[in-house]
Structure formats: C-alpha cells, structure tokens
Amino acid sequence: MVRRSFRYLLVVIFSLYLFFMYNGRIFTGLLILELIYPVCSFIFLHSIGNKVSVRFGRFPSMGERGERFRGQVIIENQSRFQSVRYCVRLRVNHHFSKTGPRQKLTGTLSPLEKQTQIVTLESQYAGMMDCGLETLILYDILGIFYRKIPLRDRRFVGIMPPFELVPMEITQRTRDFLADADEHSTQKKGDDPDDIYQIREYRPPDSIHLIHWKLSAKENHLMVKDRGFPLGCVLLLWIRMPDTETDSASFNMLLEKAASLSVTLFEEKCIHMAAWFEEKSGQVVKWKVNSTEAVYEWIWRLLSCEPFHDAEMEQTCYEEAFRGEHFSSIVILNGNGTLTVNGEAIGMTSPEYYCL
C-alpha cells in the first residue's frame, strides 16, 4: 500500500503543478477528483467489506504424508450493486512449526457472485496440519487503496504416517506370557484357572487337578478341563515426547516407527498396549491394540498430542498408571527417534530386526 500511495501522491503533485501552471477547467476537475478519491475509496471499502464473506468449503480431515490433497475456500459477495477485487491469504502450519507456507487466492467478485477456490496442499511430515484463513484484502476500483479484514476460520488435517511391516522376532517368552485380561483365546489353551478353554477326555499325563469330577461321573469316564489363555496386553509400547526432543522432523520419525511397530506386532498376533503421557490433562492415555482398526485409532489420537515439559510429572504418572501391571517387554520410543527395549537402547536407526 505504501508504494501505491506514493505513486498516487506523485500524481496529485503533478496535477497541482498543472493546475497552477495552466488555466484550464480540465486540470481543475482532475485535481478535485484526485482529492476526493480517497474519501470515495474509504466509503466503498467500508460498505463492501461488510458484504464479502470467506469460509472453508469441503476440506479433508485426513491425508497421507507426501501426498497432495485439495480443499475448498468459498468467497461470496452479498452486495447487489458493487463488484470488488479480492485477495485471500491462507496460512498452513505444521503441528510443531511456528511459521509455515502461505498461499494467495485472488479474483474478482461480481454482485451476488459466489466463487469456490481450490487449494492444493502437501505435507512432508506426519502429524497435525493447521490450515487457517488469515486475511481478506479488498481493493478499491482502481486498486490504489485496500482494506484488510482478519479471518479466523481454521481446519485441522491429520497427516498419517506410512504403515510398514518391520522385521521382528517374537520370542517364546512373550508369546507364552500370561497377562490379566477379560478376554480369552478361542484357539489356544493356557493356565488361567478362572476360564475354561475346553472340556475333553482324560489323556495321560494330564494332571489329576484338571479332572472335571461332576462331568466325569455323568459320562462314566474321566473328563478334564483345559484352562483358558488370557488375551491381555503382553507388551507395552510407551511413547515419550519431551519438548526438548520433539520437532516436526523427529515427531514424523516417531509416528512412522510407532505405526510400523504396532501394525507388525498385531500381524504377529501379539496383543499390546500403546500409551503416552498427556501433560494438559495430567493423565496417561492407554490404548489396547488387538485389531488393525485399533492401530489406526491410536495413531490418529497421537497426531494431536502435545510434547510435555515436566519429566518428573511424566514419570510419576507412568508409575501410577502401571502399578501392579506386568508386561513381557517394555518398548520405549523417544521423541528423538531412539528405541529402548527392556532398558537396552537400540539407537537412532532401525536394526535388521526387533527381538521382543
């Protein structure tokens, strides 16, 4: 606007020069028009500013990292008589970035016209993307003066990481680990005395303690009861996001590793628990993963999680949340990408295989 105003001032000065140097009505009329133009421009921008609206139209709530997606921005002129030229500024920020790329949408609105502008976006990081309408700029008839109107409409797009299987070995210790649970396997027997997997005929060397005496008396031969195998969480995947280690790149790495580990554990029939600390609520979020849908659900919830500042509070809540619970393995995934399995650090890069 400063450059346009400077040019306008030069034109007015030149018109003043012509007004004093030459005696003519045309120069007088031209000077008068130039002097009253700012007033007319102010009145025009003030009246049209209350009749132009900007909002998001159809906008996706989820996308994939590295893939482009489109959204709509709707600009509408509710004036019956006035046309206007506009510019809409759109700001896009990632979860942990303070500034992001900006886009400009320009056009001209006729009276009672509604336009739909298409916005194409892409994110190189997984996480939550914040798309906000920042400013509406309306220009006067000659484009010399303009009016800025702040906008507050926002949309959040969850950018999902890729889900890839990783080489992993589930040890027999983990597979046979008995965890407390309300659900029991229908395909495998175990040692839970509170649940019966099946009742069958006695076969040596079955323990005498497993004989079902009432049913044996009814059937006239010995029957035994196999105990159930509890489908509890045998492994804990603990996600740590301290603010000193978490930025857009590291959070992207954390999400990718977490998603890959979780989906691989499920494919290996290993029921596990994903958990992390939320400082805002002062609680530990626990997510039992026993299906493919559960993997997507807890990763989606993790997208909007904020890094914590108080490490002591995190440790206290962790100890309180898992007091009395036992796991065959505890996998800790840190915000900087390091992985710890049962207290042993693996490092920044993925190994040839995970042994849990």
Side-chain angles (χ1 to χ4, degrees):
M1 184 175 180
V2 176
R3 184 178 299 178
R4 293 189 181 93
S5 299
F6 180 72
R7 293 175 180 176
Y8 175 76
L9 182 61
L10 290 179
V11 172
V12 173
I13 293 175
F14 181 70
S15 298
L16 282 173
Y17 171 77
L18 295 178
F19 173 76
F20 287 109
M21 291 296 297
Y22 303 98
N23 186 13
R25 294 182 179 179
I26 186 172
F27 299 117
T28 303
L30 182 63
L31 180 60
I32 293 174
L33 288 176
E34 291 174 356
L35 292 177
I36 65 174
Y37 180 78
V39 179
C40 296
S41 176
F42 174 81
I43 296 173
F44 169 78
L45 292 176
H46 180 75
S47 61
I48 197 67
N50 299 326
K51 297 179 180 180
V52 177
S53 62
V54 183
R55 68 182 187 276
F56 280 114
R58 292 183 179 179
F59 218 84
S61 59
M62 182 177 66
E64 295 184 10
R65 191 193 68 186
E67 294 189 1
R68 294 184 177 182
F69 57 91
R70 294 183 175 183
Q72 294 181 348
V73 177
I74 300 175
I75 306 98
E76 183 176 4
N77 181 12
Q78 299 175 354
S79 174
R80 296 179 177 272
F81 309 104
Q82 298 170 317
S83 298
V84 64
R85 186 160 61 93
Y86 68 87
C87 174
V88 177
R89 291 180 179 176
L90 180 73
R91 168 188 46 80
V92 180
N93 290 342
H94 193 263
H95 196 169
F96 299 102
S97 61
K98 296 182 180 179
T99 58
R102 285 176 167 81
Q103 293 190 21
K104 291 183 179 180
L105 308 175
T106 59
T108 301
L109 286 170
S110 301
L112 299 178
E113 183 183 4
K114 179 191 294 186
Q115 292 183 2
T116 300
Q117 295 270 17
I118 303 298
V119 181
T120 302
L121 301 173
E122 181 181 359
S123 177
Q124 60 179 331
Y125 298 120
M128 195 63 68
M129 177 185 285
D130 180 7
C131 306
L133 295 174
E134 195 173 44
T135 310
L136 168 64
I137 303 176
L138 300 176
Y139 297 93
D140 60 15
I141 298 175
L142 299 180
I144 299 176
F145 301 103
Y146 61 84
R147 177 185 177 186
K148 284 186 176 182
I149 302 175
L151 303 174
R152 295 181 176 84
D153 199 3
R154 301 170 67 185
R155 290 292 185 274
F156 293 93
V157 183
I159 307 298
M160 297 290 286
F163 287 72
E164 299 178 353
L165 297 178
V166 297
M168 181 179 296
E169 177 186 353
I170 306 297
T171 62
Q172 199 65 32
R173 176 179 62 88
T174 299
R175 293 192 182 277
D176 294 340
F177 184 82
L178 293 178
D180 295 333
D182 296 329
E183 301 176 18
H184 293 77
S185 175
T186 59
Q187 302 175 351
K188 183 179 180 181
K189 66 179 181 179
D191 296 322
D192 189 352
D194 296 328
D195 182 76
I196 297 177
Y197 169 66
Q198 66 178 358
I199 298 177
R200 57 175 175 80
E201 293 184 2
Y202 174 85
R203 295 191 302 264
D206 289 338
S207 173
I208 191 174
H209 300 290
L210 297 178
I211 296 177
H212 197 303
W213 295 106
K214 290 184 178 180
L215 190 58
S216 297
K218 182 179 179 180
E219 298 292 336
N220 292 323
H221 57 270
L222 293 178
M223 303 291 292
V224 297
K225 49 188 177 183
D226 287 332
R227 294 172 177 174
F229 187 88
L231 294 178
C233 296
V234 299
L235 184 142
L236 172 63
L237 181 57
W238 177 248
I239 311 297
R240 296 192 71 251
M241 291 187 295
D243 61 333
T244 56
E245 300 177 358
T246 307
D247 55 21
S248 297
S250 62
F251 188 61
N252 173 78
M253 183 188 302
L254 181 145
L255 286 172
E256 186 172 345
K257 281 191 173 184
S260 300
L261 281 172
S262 187
V263 74
T264 304
L265 286 169
F266 171 72
E267 290 295 327
E268 291 291 335
K269 310 301 180 184
C270 181
I271 298 177
H272 56 285
M273 177 180 292
W276 61 92
F277 170 63
E278 286 189 347
E279 189 173 41
K280 186 176 181 180
S281 61
Q283 297 179 349
V284 170
V285 178
K286 298 180 180 181
W287 213 283
K288 183 178 180 179
V289 183
N290 55 5
S291 65
T292 306
E293 291 77 11
V295 178
Y296 283 89
E297 287 172 358
W298 83 264
I299 292 294
W300 176 260
R301 171 70 183 273
L302 188 62
L303 293 182
S304 58
C305 184
E306 297 289 341
F308 62 84
H309 305 274
D310 194 339
E312 293 184 0
M313 184 178 179
E314 182 228 13
Q315 182 63 27
T316 302
C317 291
Y318 171 84
E319 294 174 355
E320 183 67 25
F322 298 106
R323 182 173 298 166
E325 296 191 37
H326 302 282
F327 301 94
S328 66
S329 297
I330 298 178
V331 179
I332 300 177
L333 186 55
N334 295 292
N336 59 5
T338 58
L339 196 67
T340 303
V341 179
N342 297 327
E344 181 181 353
I346 293 181
M348 292 293 292
T349 57
S350 299
E352 293 183 358
Y353 67 93
Y354 296 94
C355 184
L356 303 175

